[in-house]
PDB file of all heavy atoms in Angstrom:
ATOM      1  N   ASN M   1       9.036  12.511 -10.123  1.00 98.00           N
ATOM      2  CA  ASN M   1      10.416  12.133 -10.437  1.00 98.00           C
ATOM      3  C   ASN M   1      10.412  11.083 -11.555  1.00 98.00           C
ATOM      4  O   ASN M   1       9.932   9.965 -11.362  1.00 98.00           O
ATOM      5  CB  ASN M   1      11.088  11.583  -9.172  1.00 98.00           C
ATOM      6  CG  ASN M   1      12.556  11.262  -9.376  1.00 98.00           C
ATOM      7  OD1 ASN M   1      12.922  10.532 -10.285  1.00 98.00           O
ATOM      8  ND2 ASN M   1      13.397  11.799  -8.505  1.00 98.00           N
ATOM      9  N   TYR M   2      10.957  11.449 -12.704  1.00 98.00           N
ATOM     10  CA  TYR M   2      10.936  10.551 -13.868  1.00 98.00           C
ATOM     11  C   TYR M   2      11.664   9.245 -13.594  1.00 98.00           C
ATOM     12  O   TYR M   2      11.167   8.155 -13.914  1.00 98.00           O
ATOM     13  CB  TYR M   2      11.573  11.256 -15.070  1.00 98.00           C
ATOM     14  CG  TYR M   2      11.703  10.379 -16.299  1.00 98.00           C
ATOM     15  CD1 TYR M   2      10.635  10.206 -17.176  1.00 98.00           C
ATOM     16  CD2 TYR M   2      12.900   9.722 -16.585  1.00 98.00           C
ATOM     17  CE1 TYR M   2      10.748   9.394 -18.298  1.00 98.00           C
ATOM     18  CE2 TYR M   2      13.027   8.910 -17.700  1.00 98.00           C
ATOM     19  CZ  TYR M   2      11.950   8.752 -18.556  1.00 98.00           C
ATOM     20  OH  TYR M   2      12.076   7.942 -19.653  1.00 98.00           O
ATOM     21  N   SER M   3      12.836   9.334 -12.971  1.00 98.00           N
ATOM     22  CA  SER M   3      13.619   8.126 -12.711  1.00 98.00           C
ATOM     23  C   SER M   3      12.888   7.186 -11.763  1.00 98.00           C
ATOM     24  O   SER M   3      12.886   5.960 -11.954  1.00 98.00           O
ATOM     25  CB  SER M   3      14.985   8.499 -12.131  1.00 98.00           C
ATOM     26  OG  SER M   3      15.736   9.244 -13.063  1.00 98.00           O
ATOM     27  N   ALA M   4      12.242   7.750 -10.738  1.00 98.00           N
ATOM     28  CA  ALA M   4      11.473   6.920  -9.804  1.00 98.00           C
ATOM     29  C   ALA M   4      10.303   6.253 -10.518  1.00 98.00           C
ATOM     30  O   ALA M   4      10.018   5.064 -10.299  1.00 98.00           O
ATOM     31  CB  ALA M   4      10.973   7.770  -8.637  1.00 98.00           C
ATOM     32  N   ALA M   5       9.631   6.999 -11.378  1.00 98.00           N
ATOM     33  CA  ALA M   5       8.502   6.437 -12.125  1.00 98.00           C
ATOM     34  C   ALA M   5       8.957   5.277 -13.004  1.00 98.00           C
ATOM     35  O   ALA M   5       8.312   4.217 -13.046  1.00 98.00           O
ATOM     36  CB  ALA M   5       7.850   7.529 -12.975  1.00 98.00           C
ATOM     37  N   MET M   6      10.073   5.458 -13.718  1.00 98.00           N
ATOM     38  CA  MET M   6      10.561   4.403 -14.607  1.00 98.00           C
ATOM     39  C   MET M   6      11.011   3.177 -13.813  1.00 98.00           C
ATOM     40  O   MET M   6      10.793   2.039 -14.225  1.00 98.00           O
ATOM     41  CB  MET M   6      11.724   4.931 -15.455  1.00 98.00           C
ATOM     42  CG  MET M   6      11.321   5.953 -16.501  1.00 98.00           C
ATOM     43  SD  MET M   6      10.078   5.335 -17.692  1.00 98.00           S
ATOM     44  CE  MET M   6       8.599   6.123 -17.060  1.00 98.00           C
ATOM     45  N   ARG M   7      11.633   3.403 -12.657  1.00 98.00           N
ATOM     46  CA  ARG M   7      12.048   2.269 -11.824  1.00 98.00           C
ATOM     47  C   ARG M   7      10.828   1.489 -11.335  1.00 98.00           C
ATOM     48  O   ARG M   7      10.817   0.259 -11.343  1.00 98.00           O
ATOM     49  CB  ARG M   7      12.871   2.757 -10.630  1.00 98.00           C
ATOM     50  CG  ARG M   7      13.340   1.625  -9.740  1.00 98.00           C
ATOM     51  CD  ARG M   7      14.123   2.112  -8.533  1.00 98.00           C
ATOM     52  NE  ARG M   7      14.464   0.981  -7.671  1.00 98.00           N
ATOM     53  CZ  ARG M   7      15.016   1.097  -6.464  1.00 98.00           C
ATOM     54  NH1 ARG M   7      15.302   2.302  -5.980  1.00 98.00           N
ATOM     55  NH2 ARG M   7      15.278   0.019  -5.756  1.00 98.00           N
ATOM     56  N   PHE M   8       9.799   2.205 -10.915  1.00 98.00           N
ATOM     57  CA  PHE M   8       8.565   1.564 -10.445  1.00 98.00           C
ATOM     58  C   PHE M   8       7.940   0.733 -11.568  1.00 98.00           C
ATOM     59  O   PHE M   8       7.539  -0.419 -11.364  1.00 98.00           O
ATOM     60  CB  PHE M   8       7.598   2.647  -9.969  1.00 98.00           C
ATOM     61  CG  PHE M   8       6.441   2.135  -9.163  1.00 98.00           C
ATOM     62  CD1 PHE M   8       6.566   1.920  -7.799  1.00 98.00           C
ATOM     63  CD2 PHE M   8       5.209   1.898  -9.754  1.00 98.00           C
ATOM     64  CE1 PHE M   8       5.494   1.471  -7.035  1.00 98.00           C
ATOM     65  CE2 PHE M   8       4.123   1.456  -9.009  1.00 98.00           C
ATOM     66  CZ  PHE M   8       4.270   1.238  -7.645  1.00 98.00           C
ATOM     67  N   LEU M   9       7.880   1.292 -12.771  1.00 98.00           N
ATOM     68  CA  LEU M   9       7.307   0.566 -13.910  1.00 98.00           C
ATOM     69  C   LEU M   9       8.088  -0.708 -14.212  1.00 98.00           C
ATOM     70  O   LEU M   9       7.502  -1.750 -14.520  1.00 98.00           O
ATOM     71  CB  LEU M   9       7.280   1.464 -15.148  1.00 98.00           C
ATOM     72  CG  LEU M   9       6.308   2.643 -15.142  1.00 98.00           C
ATOM     73  CD1 LEU M   9       6.504   3.498 -16.394  1.00 98.00           C
ATOM     74  CD2 LEU M   9       4.861   2.166 -15.064  1.00 98.00           C
ATOM     75  N   ARG M  10       9.407  -0.619 -14.129  1.00 98.00           N
ATOM     76  CA  ARG M  10      10.250  -1.774 -14.455  1.00 98.00           C
ATOM     77  C   ARG M  10      10.193  -2.858 -13.382  1.00 98.00           C
ATOM     78  O   ARG M  10      10.150  -4.049 -13.695  1.00 98.00           O
ATOM     79  CB  ARG M  10      11.713  -1.337 -14.627  1.00 98.00           C
ATOM     80  CG  ARG M  10      12.023  -0.625 -15.912  1.00 98.00           C
ATOM     81  CD  ARG M  10      13.552  -0.542 -16.107  1.00 98.00           C
ATOM     82  NE  ARG M  10      14.228  -0.017 -14.914  1.00 98.00           N
ATOM     83  CZ  ARG M  10      14.462   1.276 -14.704  1.00 98.00           C
ATOM     84  NH1 ARG M  10      14.081   2.173 -15.587  1.00 98.00           N
ATOM     85  NH2 ARG M  10      15.104   1.669 -13.606  1.00 98.00           N
ATOM     86  N   GLU M  11      10.212  -2.457 -12.111  1.00 98.00           N
ATOM     87  CA  GLU M  11      10.477  -3.416 -11.037  1.00 98.00           C
ATOM     88  C   GLU M  11       9.247  -3.966 -10.338  1.00 98.00           C
ATOM     89  O   GLU M  11       9.326  -5.021  -9.706  1.00 98.00           O
ATOM     90  CB  GLU M  11      11.421  -2.789 -10.004  1.00 98.00           C
ATOM     91  CG  GLU M  11      12.792  -2.459 -10.575  1.00 98.00           C
ATOM     92  CD  GLU M  11      13.746  -1.912  -9.522  1.00 98.00           C
ATOM     93  OE1 GLU M  11      13.529  -2.176  -8.316  1.00 98.00           O
ATOM     94  OE2 GLU M  11      14.709  -1.206  -9.912  1.00 98.00           O
ATOM     95  N   VAL M  12       8.113  -3.290 -10.413  1.00 98.00           N
ATOM     96  CA  VAL M  12       6.906  -3.822  -9.778  1.00 98.00           C
ATOM     97  C   VAL M  12       6.359  -4.944 -10.656  1.00 98.00           C
ATOM     98  O   VAL M  12       6.071  -4.749 -11.846  1.00 98.00           O
ATOM     99  CB  VAL M  12       5.848  -2.722  -9.565  1.00 98.00           C
ATOM    100  CG1 VAL M  12       4.519  -3.329  -9.140  1.00 98.00           C
ATOM    101  CG2 VAL M  12       6.335  -1.745  -8.507  1.00 98.00           C
ATOM    102  N   ASP M  13       6.219  -6.122 -10.066  1.00 96.00           N
ATOM    103  CA  ASP M  13       5.858  -7.327 -10.816  1.00 96.00           C
ATOM    104  C   ASP M  13       4.337  -7.507 -10.837  1.00 96.00           C
ATOM    105  O   ASP M  13       3.787  -8.411 -10.215  1.00 96.00           O
ATOM    106  CB  ASP M  13       6.535  -8.544 -10.169  1.00 96.00           C
ATOM    107  CG  ASP M  13       6.304  -9.831 -10.959  1.00 96.00           C
ATOM    108  OD1 ASP M  13       5.953  -9.746 -12.146  1.00 96.00           O
ATOM    109  OD2 ASP M  13       6.469 -10.922 -10.360  1.00 96.00           O
ATOM    110  N   SER M  14       3.655  -6.614 -11.557  1.00 96.00           N
ATOM    111  CA  SER M  14       2.200  -6.663 -11.607  1.00 96.00           C
ATOM    112  C   SER M  14       1.716  -6.558 -13.045  1.00 96.00           C
ATOM    113  O   SER M  14       2.433  -6.085 -13.926  1.00 96.00           O
ATOM    114  CB  SER M  14       1.586  -5.541 -10.766  1.00 96.00           C
ATOM    115  OG  SER M  14       1.897  -5.739  -9.398  1.00 96.00           O
ATOM    116  N   ALA M  15       0.470  -6.983 -13.256  1.00 94.00           N
ATOM    117  CA  ALA M  15      -0.093  -6.994 -14.602  1.00 94.00           C
ATOM    118  C   ALA M  15      -0.323  -5.585 -15.140  1.00 94.00           C
ATOM    119  O   ALA M  15      -0.207  -5.345 -16.337  1.00 94.00           O
ATOM    120  CB  ALA M  15      -1.409  -7.778 -14.607  1.00 94.00           C
ATOM    121  N   SER M  16      -0.674  -4.650 -14.259  1.00 96.00           N
ATOM    122  CA  SER M  16      -0.804  -3.238 -14.631  1.00 96.00           C
ATOM    123  C   SER M  16      -0.027  -2.404 -13.619  1.00 96.00           C
ATOM    124  O   SER M  16      -0.192  -2.578 -12.412  1.00 96.00           O
ATOM    125  CB  SER M  16      -2.268  -2.796 -14.615  1.00 96.00           C
ATOM    126  OG  SER M  16      -2.999  -3.372 -15.671  1.00 96.00           O
ATOM    127  N   VAL M  17       0.813  -1.519 -14.124  1.00 98.00           N
ATOM    128  CA  VAL M  17       1.600  -0.632 -13.259  1.00 98.00           C
ATOM    129  C   VAL M  17       1.368   0.797 -13.747  1.00 98.00           C
ATOM    130  O   VAL M  17       1.458   1.071 -14.947  1.00 98.00           O
ATOM    131  CB  VAL M  17       3.096  -0.988 -13.288  1.00 98.00           C
ATOM    132  CG1 VAL M  17       3.856  -0.142 -12.266  1.00 98.00           C
ATOM    133  CG2 VAL M  17       3.314  -2.470 -12.998  1.00 98.00           C
ATOM    134  N   MET M  18       1.071   1.710 -12.822  1.00 98.00           N
ATOM    135  CA  MET M  18       0.606   3.041 -13.193  1.00 98.00           C
ATOM    136  C   MET M  18       1.451   4.132 -12.560  1.00 98.00           C
ATOM    137  O   MET M  18       1.985   3.950 -11.458  1.00 98.00           O
ATOM    138  CB  MET M  18      -0.847   3.215 -12.749  1.00 98.00           C
ATOM    139  CG  MET M  18      -1.786   2.159 -13.328  1.00 98.00           C
ATOM    140  SD  MET M  18      -3.486   2.430 -12.855  1.00 98.00           S
ATOM    141  CE  MET M  18      -4.305   1.235 -13.926  1.00 98.00           C
ATOM    142  N   VAL M  19       1.527   5.247 -13.252  1.00 98.00           N
ATOM    143  CA  VAL M  19       2.199   6.434 -12.742  1.00 98.00           C
ATOM    144  C   VAL M  19       1.186   7.576 -12.719  1.00 98.00           C
ATOM    145  O   VAL M  19       0.584   7.907 -13.754  1.00 98.00           O
ATOM    146  CB  VAL M  19       3.406   6.820 -13.620  1.00 98.00           C
ATOM    147  CG1 VAL M  19       4.043   8.115 -13.116  1.00 98.00           C
ATOM    148  CG2 VAL M  19       4.434   5.695 -13.651  1.00 98.00           C
ATOM    149  N   ASN M  20       0.968   8.148 -11.544  1.00 98.00           N
ATOM    150  CA  ASN M  20       0.079   9.304 -11.374  1.00 98.00           C
ATOM    151  C   ASN M  20      -1.325   9.066 -11.937  1.00 98.00           C
ATOM    152  O   ASN M  20      -1.900   9.924 -12.623  1.00 98.00           O
ATOM    153  CB  ASN M  20       0.710  10.556 -12.014  1.00 98.00           C
ATOM    154  CG  ASN M  20       2.006  10.961 -11.341  1.00 98.00           C
ATOM    155  OD1 ASN M  20       2.204  10.705 -10.153  1.00 98.00           O
ATOM    156  ND2 ASN M  20       2.911  11.579 -12.092  1.00 98.00           N
ATOM    157  N   ALA M  21      -1.869   7.902 -11.660  1.00 98.00           N
ATOM    158  CA  ALA M  21      -3.232   7.575 -12.080  1.00 98.00           C
ATOM    159  C   ALA M  21      -3.819   6.574 -11.094  1.00 98.00           C
ATOM    160  O   ALA M  21      -3.099   5.800 -10.461  1.00 98.00           O
ATOM    161  CB  ALA M  21      -3.245   7.002 -13.494  1.00 98.00           C
ATOM    162  N   SER M  22      -5.136   6.587 -10.987  1.00 98.00           N
ATOM    163  CA  SER M  22      -5.828   5.700 -10.049  1.00 98.00           C
ATOM    164  C   SER M  22      -5.808   4.258 -10.522  1.00 98.00           C
ATOM    165  O   SER M  22      -5.945   3.977 -11.721  1.00 98.00           O
ATOM    166  CB  SER M  22      -7.282   6.171  -9.900  1.00 98.00           C
ATOM    167  OG  SER M  22      -8.064   5.215  -9.215  1.00 98.00           O
ATOM    168  N   THR M  23      -5.677   3.335  -9.577  1.00 98.00           N
ATOM    169  CA  THR M  23      -5.733   1.905  -9.904  1.00 98.00           C
ATOM    170  C   THR M  23      -7.088   1.515 -10.500  1.00 98.00           C
ATOM    171  O   THR M  23      -7.198   0.482 -11.156  1.00 98.00           O
ATOM    172  CB  THR M  23      -5.496   1.045  -8.645  1.00 98.00           C
ATOM    173  OG1 THR M  23      -6.490   1.358  -7.650  1.00 98.00           O
ATOM    174  CG2 THR M  23      -4.107   1.292  -8.073  1.00 98.00           C
ATOM    175  N   ARG M  24      -8.109   2.335 -10.297  1.00 97.00           N
ATOM    176  CA  ARG M  24      -9.438   2.035 -10.825  1.00 97.00           C
ATOM    177  C   ARG M  24      -9.459   2.035 -12.357  1.00 97.00           C
ATOM    178  O   ARG M  24     -10.412   1.550 -12.965  1.00 97.00           O
ATOM    179  CB  ARG M  24     -10.454   3.044 -10.278  1.00 97.00           C
ATOM    180  CG  ARG M  24     -10.732   2.897  -8.811  1.00 97.00           C
ATOM    181  CD  ARG M  24     -11.684   1.729  -8.525  1.00 97.00           C
ATOM    182  NE  ARG M  24     -13.003   2.033  -9.047  1.00 97.00           N
ATOM    183  CZ  ARG M  24     -13.680   1.253  -9.879  1.00 97.00           C
ATOM    184  NH1 ARG M  24     -13.175   0.114 -10.292  1.00 97.00           N
ATOM    185  NH2 ARG M  24     -14.871   1.601 -10.314  1.00 97.00           N
ATOM    186  N   PHE M  25      -8.418   2.558 -12.995  1.00 96.00           N
ATOM    187  CA  PHE M  25      -8.349   2.530 -14.453  1.00 96.00           C
ATOM    188  C   PHE M  25      -7.998   1.144 -15.008  1.00 96.00           C
ATOM    189  O   PHE M  25      -8.051   0.941 -16.221  1.00 96.00           O
ATOM    190  CB  PHE M  25      -7.328   3.547 -14.967  1.00 96.00           C
ATOM    191  CG  PHE M  25      -7.831   4.964 -14.995  1.00 96.00           C
ATOM    192  CD1 PHE M  25      -7.300   5.911 -14.134  1.00 96.00           C
ATOM    193  CD2 PHE M  25      -8.830   5.349 -15.868  1.00 96.00           C
ATOM    194  CE1 PHE M  25      -7.756   7.223 -14.145  1.00 96.00           C
ATOM    195  CE2 PHE M  25      -9.300   6.655 -15.899  1.00 96.00           C
ATOM    196  CZ  PHE M  25      -8.765   7.597 -15.032  1.00 96.00           C
ATOM    197  N   ALA M  26      -7.624   0.206 -14.150  1.00 95.00           N
ATOM    198  CA  ALA M  26      -7.252  -1.145 -14.623  1.00 95.00           C
ATOM    199  C   ALA M  26      -8.518  -1.901 -15.025  1.00 95.00           C
ATOM    200  O   ALA M  26      -9.075  -2.693 -14.269  1.00 95.00           O
ATOM    201  CB  ALA M  26      -6.488  -1.900 -13.542  1.00 95.00           C
ATOM    202  N   ASP M  27      -8.943  -1.654 -16.235  1.00 90.00           N
ATOM    203  CA  ASP M  27     -10.224  -2.157 -16.710  1.00 90.00           C
ATOM    204  C   ASP M  27     -10.183  -2.166 -18.237  1.00 90.00           C
ATOM    205  O   ASP M  27      -9.673  -1.217 -18.852  1.00 90.00           O
ATOM    206  CB  ASP M  27     -11.334  -1.228 -16.193  1.00 90.00           C
ATOM    207  CG  ASP M  27     -12.699  -1.561 -16.735  1.00 90.00           C
ATOM    208  OD1 ASP M  27     -13.375  -2.401 -16.126  1.00 90.00           O
ATOM    209  OD2 ASP M  27     -13.082  -0.987 -17.766  1.00 90.00           O
ATOM    210  N   GLY M  28     -10.720  -3.233 -18.841  1.00 84.00           N
ATOM    211  CA  GLY M  28     -10.677  -3.335 -20.295  1.00 84.00           C
ATOM    212  C   GLY M  28     -11.364  -2.185 -21.001  1.00 84.00           C
ATOM    213  O   GLY M  28     -10.906  -1.702 -22.043  1.00 84.00           O
ATOM    214  N   PHE M  29     -12.482  -1.715 -20.453  1.00 81.00           N
ATOM    215  CA  PHE M  29     -13.211  -0.590 -21.046  1.00 81.00           C
ATOM    216  C   PHE M  29     -12.325   0.651 -21.042  1.00 81.00           C
ATOM    217  O   PHE M  29     -12.198   1.345 -22.054  1.00 81.00           O
ATOM    218  CB  PHE M  29     -14.497  -0.351 -20.254  1.00 81.00           C
ATOM    219  CG  PHE M  29     -15.422   0.671 -20.861  1.00 81.00           C
ATOM    220  CD1 PHE M  29     -16.348   0.307 -21.826  1.00 81.00           C
ATOM    221  CD2 PHE M  29     -15.381   1.992 -20.456  1.00 81.00           C
ATOM    222  CE1 PHE M  29     -17.207   1.241 -22.386  1.00 81.00           C
ATOM    223  CE2 PHE M  29     -16.236   2.941 -21.001  1.00 81.00           C
ATOM    224  CZ  PHE M  29     -17.151   2.560 -21.974  1.00 81.00           C
ATOM    225  N   GLU M  30     -11.681   0.938 -19.901  1.00 90.00           N
ATOM    226  CA  GLU M  30     -10.825   2.116 -19.794  1.00 90.00           C
ATOM    227  C   GLU M  30      -9.557   1.986 -20.639  1.00 90.00           C
ATOM    228  O   GLU M  30      -8.989   2.990 -21.071  1.00 90.00           O
ATOM    229  CB  GLU M  30     -10.452   2.367 -18.331  1.00 90.00           C
ATOM    230  CG  GLU M  30     -11.629   2.740 -17.444  1.00 90.00           C
ATOM    231  CD  GLU M  30     -12.180   4.128 -17.722  1.00 90.00           C
ATOM    232  OE1 GLU M  30     -11.514   4.901 -18.441  1.00 90.00           O
ATOM    233  OE2 GLU M  30     -13.277   4.443 -17.229  1.00 90.00           O
ATOM    234  N   TYR M  31      -9.109   0.758 -20.876  1.00 90.00           N
ATOM    235  CA  TYR M  31      -7.914   0.535 -21.693  1.00 90.00           C
ATOM    236  C   TYR M  31      -8.213   0.555 -23.192  1.00 90.00           C
ATOM    237  O   TYR M  31      -7.315   0.367 -24.008  1.00 90.00           O
ATOM    238  CB  TYR M  31      -7.273  -0.808 -21.331  1.00 90.00           C
ATOM    239  CG  TYR M  31      -6.459  -0.816 -20.045  1.00 90.00           C
ATOM    240  CD1 TYR M  31      -6.502   0.222 -19.139  1.00 90.00           C
ATOM    241  CD2 TYR M  31      -5.641  -1.909 -19.746  1.00 90.00           C
ATOM    242  CE1 TYR M  31      -5.769   0.196 -17.968  1.00 90.00           C
ATOM    243  CE2 TYR M  31      -4.896  -1.953 -18.569  1.00 90.00           C
ATOM    244  CZ  TYR M  31      -4.964  -0.894 -17.688  1.00 90.00           C
ATOM    245  OH  TYR M  31      -4.235  -0.931 -16.524  1.00 90.00           O
ATOM    246  N   GLY M  32      -9.477   0.731 -23.561  1.00 82.00           N
ATOM    247  CA  GLY M  32      -9.835   0.771 -24.967  1.00 82.00           C
ATOM    248  C   GLY M  32     -10.039  -0.597 -25.590  1.00 82.00           C
ATOM    249  O   GLY M  32     -10.037  -0.731 -26.820  1.00 82.00           O
ATOM    250  N   LEU M  33     -10.224  -1.621 -24.746  1.00 80.00           N
ATOM    251  CA  LEU M  33     -10.456  -2.971 -25.260  1.00 80.00           C
ATOM    252  C   LEU M  33     -11.932  -3.203 -25.569  1.00 80.00           C
ATOM    253  O   LEU M  33     -12.304  -4.253 -26.065  1.00 80.00           O
ATOM    254  CB  LEU M  33      -9.990  -4.021 -24.245  1.00 80.00           C
ATOM    255  CG  LEU M  33      -8.544  -3.912 -23.757  1.00 80.00           C
ATOM    256  CD1 LEU M  33      -8.230  -5.035 -22.783  1.00 80.00           C
ATOM    257  CD2 LEU M  33      -7.564  -3.918 -24.913  1.00 80.00           C
ATOM    258  N   GLY M  34     -12.785  -2.213 -25.279  1.00 66.00           N
ATOM    259  CA  GLY M  34     -14.220  -2.350 -25.481  1.00 66.00           C
ATOM    260  C   GLY M  34     -14.866  -2.930 -24.251  1.00 66.00           C
ATOM    261  O   GLY M  34     -15.831  -2.408 -23.724  1.00 66.00           O
ATOM    262  N   ALA M  35     -14.346  -4.010 -23.811  1.00 69.00           N
ATOM    263  CA  ALA M  35     -14.775  -4.685 -22.579  1.00 69.00           C
ATOM    264  C   ALA M  35     -13.650  -5.642 -22.236  1.00 69.00           C
ATOM    265  O   ALA M  35     -12.653  -5.720 -22.952  1.00 69.00           O
ATOM    266  CB  ALA M  35     -16.094  -5.412 -22.789  1.00 69.00           C
ATOM    267  N   GLU M  36     -13.792  -6.368 -21.158  1.00 77.00           N
ATOM    268  CA  GLU M  36     -12.771  -7.342 -20.810  1.00 77.00           C
ATOM    269  C   GLU M  36     -13.434  -8.639 -20.389  1.00 77.00           C
ATOM    270  O   GLU M  36     -14.534  -8.643 -19.838  1.00 77.00           O
ATOM    271  CB  GLU M  36     -11.874  -6.826 -19.687  1.00 77.00           C
ATOM    272  CG  GLU M  36     -12.614  -6.680 -18.368  1.00 77.00           C
ATOM    273  CD  GLU M  36     -11.756  -6.138 -17.244  1.00 77.00           C
ATOM    274  OE1 GLU M  36     -10.850  -5.346 -17.522  1.00 77.00           O
ATOM    275  OE2 GLU M  36     -12.024  -6.500 -16.083  1.00 77.00           O
ATOM    276  N   ILE M  37     -12.757  -9.726 -20.671  1.00 83.00           N
ATOM    277  CA  ILE M  37     -13.250 -11.024 -20.228  1.00 83.00           C
ATOM    278  C   ILE M  37     -12.847 -11.265 -18.781  1.00 83.00           C
ATOM    279  O   ILE M  37     -13.429 -12.088 -18.071  1.00 83.00           O
ATOM    280  CB  ILE M  37     -12.698 -12.149 -21.132  1.00 83.00           C
ATOM    281  CG1 ILE M  37     -13.576 -13.395 -21.078  1.00 83.00           C
ATOM    282  CG2 ILE M  37     -11.267 -12.494 -20.795  1.00 83.00           C
ATOM    283  CD1 ILE M  37     -14.842 -13.280 -21.852  1.00 83.00           C
ATOM    284  N   GLY M  38     -11.853 -10.527 -18.320  1.00 81.00           N
ATOM    285  CA  GLY M  38     -11.337 -10.668 -16.967  1.00 81.00           C
ATOM    286  C   GLY M  38      -9.955 -10.056 -16.907  1.00 81.00           C
ATOM    287  O   GLY M  38      -9.465  -9.491 -17.890  1.00 81.00           O
ATOM    288  N   ILE M  39      -9.333 -10.143 -15.756  1.00 87.00           N
ATOM    289  CA  ILE M  39      -7.964  -9.660 -15.581  1.00 87.00           C
ATOM    290  C   ILE M  39      -7.096 -10.841 -15.181  1.00 87.00           C
ATOM    291  O   ILE M  39      -7.446 -11.604 -14.283  1.00 87.00           O
ATOM    292  CB  ILE M  39      -7.903  -8.550 -14.526  1.00 87.00           C
ATOM    293  CG1 ILE M  39      -8.603  -7.290 -15.065  1.00 87.00           C
ATOM    294  CG2 ILE M  39      -6.472  -8.238 -14.130  1.00 87.00           C
ATOM    295  CD1 ILE M  39      -8.615  -6.124 -14.114  1.00 87.00           C
ATOM    296  N   SER M  40      -5.995 -10.988 -15.876  1.00 89.00           N
ATOM    297  CA  SER M  40      -5.100 -12.112 -15.616  1.00 89.00           C
ATOM    298  C   SER M  40      -3.831 -11.638 -14.934  1.00 89.00           C
ATOM    299  O   SER M  40      -3.215 -10.654 -15.352  1.00 89.00           O
ATOM    300  CB  SER M  40      -4.738 -12.813 -16.936  1.00 89.00           C
ATOM    301  OG  SER M  40      -3.726 -13.780 -16.720  1.00 89.00           O
ATOM    302  N   THR M  41      -3.443 -12.351 -13.879  1.00 86.00           N
ATOM    303  CA  THR M  41      -2.137 -12.093 -13.260  1.00 86.00           C
ATOM    304  C   THR M  41      -1.136 -13.178 -13.638  1.00 86.00           C
ATOM    305  O   THR M  41      -0.036 -13.224 -13.098  1.00 86.00           O
ATOM    306  CB  THR M  41      -2.268 -12.001 -11.727  1.00 86.00           C
ATOM    307  OG1 THR M  41      -2.929 -13.168 -11.231  1.00 86.00           O
ATOM    308  CG2 THR M  41      -3.067 -10.777 -11.327  1.00 86.00           C
ATOM    309  N   ASP M  42      -1.539 -14.057 -14.563  1.00 85.00           N
ATOM    310  CA  ASP M  42      -0.608 -15.047 -15.089  1.00 85.00           C
ATOM    311  C   ASP M  42       0.421 -14.352 -15.976  1.00 85.00           C
ATOM    312  O   ASP M  42       0.227 -13.215 -16.417  1.00 85.00           O
ATOM    313  CB  ASP M  42      -1.347 -16.110 -15.904  1.00 85.00           C
ATOM    314  CG  ASP M  42      -2.199 -17.023 -15.040  1.00 85.00           C
ATOM    315  OD1 ASP M  42      -1.882 -17.174 -13.848  1.00 85.00           O
ATOM    316  OD2 ASP M  42      -3.192 -17.572 -15.556  1.00 85.00           O
ATOM    317  N   LYS M  43       1.503 -15.053 -16.289  1.00 80.00           N
ATOM    318  CA  LYS M  43       2.545 -14.462 -17.125  1.00 80.00           C
ATOM    319  C   LYS M  43       2.632 -15.115 -18.502  1.00 80.00           C
ATOM    320  O   LYS M  43       3.401 -14.671 -19.347  1.00 80.00           O
ATOM    321  CB  LYS M  43       3.901 -14.556 -16.419  1.00 80.00           C
ATOM    322  CG  LYS M  43       3.942 -13.760 -15.120  1.00 80.00           C
ATOM    323  CD  LYS M  43       5.306 -13.789 -14.488  1.00 80.00           C
ATOM    324  CE  LYS M  43       5.314 -12.985 -13.194  1.00 80.00           C
ATOM    325  NZ  LYS M  43       6.650 -12.965 -12.554  1.00 80.00           N
ATOM    326  N   ILE M  44       1.855 -16.150 -18.710  1.00 80.00           N
ATOM    327  CA  ILE M  44       1.880 -16.845 -19.994  1.00 80.00           C
ATOM    328  C   ILE M  44       0.578 -16.581 -20.724  1.00 80.00           C
ATOM    329  O   ILE M  44      -0.506 -16.679 -20.147  1.00 80.00           O
ATOM    330  CB  ILE M  44       2.096 -18.358 -19.795  1.00 80.00           C
ATOM    331  CG1 ILE M  44       3.469 -18.610 -19.150  1.00 80.00           C
ATOM    332  CG2 ILE M  44       1.992 -19.118 -21.112  1.00 80.00           C
ATOM    333  CD1 ILE M  44       3.741 -20.045 -18.814  1.00 80.00           C
TER     334      ILE M  44
END
């Protein structure tokens, strides 16, 4: 459901929000960053 997916993306207050994909993709390598120094849940 497109509308449900868009609502989830907008309203879930997380650093990474996904539609029809595994949470295991939350990784700098998988995001094309080459690597990651870490994952931040800060907002600034």
Side-chain angles (χ1 to χ4, degrees):
N1 184 306
Y2 175 83
S3 296
M6 290 302 103
R7 181 182 176 188
F8 194 85
L9 291 175
R10 285 193 310 270
E11 297 183 23
V12 170
D13 185 19
S14 295
S16 290
V17 186
M18 303 183 170
V19 177
N20 297 332
S22 169
T23 59
R24 291 282 292 126
F25 281 112
D27 174 87
F29 187 86
E30 294 289 348
Y31 282 12
L33 305 181
E36 67 181 32
I37 203 76
I39 291 180
S40 172
T41 53
D42 290 335
K43 297 184 180 181
I44 297 176

